Amino acid sequence: MIELRKFKKFIACALLGLITTWMVSCSTGNVNTNTQQNASGGASIEFWTMQLQPQFTNYFQSLIKNFETQNPGIKVNWVDVPWAAMENKILTAVSAKTPPDVVNLNPDFASQLAGRNAWLDLDTKVPETVRSSYLPNIWKASTLNGKSFGIPWYLTTRLTIYNTDLLKQSGISKPPATYAQLAQVAQQIKDKTGKYAFFVTFVPQDSGEVLQSFVQMGATLVDAEGKAAFNSPQGKAAFQYWVDLYKKGLLPKEALTQGHRHAIDLYQSGETAFLASGPEFLKTIATNAPKVAQASAIAPQLTGDTGKKNVAVMNIVVPRETKQPDAAVKFALFVTNDENQLAFAKAANVLPSTTKALADSYFKDVPANASNVEKARIVSAQQLQQAEILTPALKDIKKLQKAIYENLQAAMLGEKTVDKAVEDAAQEWNNR
């Protein structure tokens, strides 16, 4: 089990895709000084992961040893980078044309550099027969303009963790499945207990959960030309949904200023009935708030009329500047093959991205007296059949989120009508 702060933060990188203003130039004729020939004349490649030490040191040492045994001409140098340092470190390395050969990132952030041609075109290196072994919707998450820039690795899906005591006090027999149902029970919980149903953030630089809810409610964020498409009946309805909840006092006021971490704090303190989060937080709740954990149960992720569910993806990319593209791709495919995906999913309490690994009984069968953690694994795996990356692969995705969130806030505070807020957000995106 990955430690809360570490795991949450680097998974948050997948949900947030933090924006960068670095301009990256990637020509093909320069030497990658991180990649060298080893003493025996074979390839030596450098592999960067995102804050996986020391929790998984033994796992990766064994993985690398197995790879090197099977590929005696290739040596792997593993470098684990703190999550907070990864963006600047990889941007600096790519800008200087001295990147590592294989890098663990997330599609949202990686797509920003894919738009600047920083990564190897994997369609030329990975046969269709190999690409088809990964979940189709998940492979698409690492494509931009029809080209594959990344190989899927591990996944997480949100669940609804809920406090059965608060629901009982409110006279609610089962948790909501949709945002429409959530609005109904939110009023009931507030009336009966004085507490909030849930917390979601509208801080532009934080979680993309609200942005994803637009897609789940049937709105299209951008059209085929990349222009705003949310200035539509569905987009306005999504704006209206969140504005109404806030104006009715059914969302904490700090939703405008606090990030997703506050949602966890409120749930653990018994102040909210629902927490939209990954199953990795169940053990943390048990540690920090045993009474709340004892009253907690799980349900599938909230969605809209579309039934779509979001998945967060970690992938592996190969910089275009690598001197050892074949060795790098071979290692990336080894890390993400069926056997190694299954092993890492079990070690890290995450989900694999290959069809065969996901079909393992580990993701289907649990004992009769299963814990919430075990039940969550099954529900999470089942959700992958409907799950996809809900936000488009755009290098400016955080600018889109900023335009929508800031105008949502203005409408919530009564500074703009919903129609004006939607119009302004669309114009801001189109004129960026």
Side-chain angles (χ1 to χ4, degrees), residues 8 12 15-16 158 179 198-214 242 246 251-264 266 274-276 398 401-402 404-406 408-409 412:
K8 187 263 175 185
L15 299 174
L16 305 179
R158 279 198 306 269
Y179 282 108
F198 73 116
F199 174 93
V200 66
T201 180
F202 296 87
V203 174
Q205 298 79 23
D206 207 271
S207 169
E209 185 179 346
V210 170
L211 195 65
Q212 294 154 12
S213 77
F214 275 56
W242 293 112
Y246 186 82
L251 283 173
K253 292 188 181 298
E254 59 267 30
L256 307 188
T257 58
Q258 297 286 324
H260 179 71
R261 174 69 222 188
H262 192 60
I264 300 168
L266 287 176
F274 306 106
L275 173 64
K398 294 308 289 187
Q401 181 171 312
K402 182 174 183 288
I404 290 177
Y405 281 27
E406 287 182 346
L408 263 172
Q409 289 200 22
M412 290 170 170

Side-chain angles (χ1 to χ4, degrees), residues 330-345:
K330 180 176 283 190
F331 180 67
L333 291 174
F334 182 79
V335 173
T336 62
N337 68 22
D338 295 321
E339 181 182 355
N340 291 325
Q341 285 240 26
L342 180 59
F344 187 69

Side-chain angles (χ1 to χ4, degrees), residues 383-401:
Q383 288 186 157
L384 283 186
Q385 305 307 318
Q386 302 165 289
E388 59 187 281
I389 298 291
L390 297 179
T391 51
L394 299 168
K395 66 178 181 179
D396 292 335
I397 187 66
K398 294 308 289 187
K399 289 185 179 180
L400 178 64
Q401 181 171 312

Side-chain angles (χ1 to χ4, degrees), residues 34 36 38 42-49 60-61 63-69 71-79 101-102 327-328 330-332 334-335:
N34 282 340
Q36 304 173 350
N38 62 39
S44 179
I45 59 176
E46 190 159 287
F47 171 45
W48 286 9
T49 55
F60 284 101
Q61 287 177 342
L63 179 96
I64 291 169
K65 182 179 179 181
N66 289 340
F67 177 79
E68 291 177 343
T69 298
N71 299 274
I74 306 174
K75 294 295 181 183
V76 180
N77 176 31
W78 175 34
V79 178
D101 302 282
V102 184
K330 180 176 283 190
F331 180 67
F334 182 79
V335 173

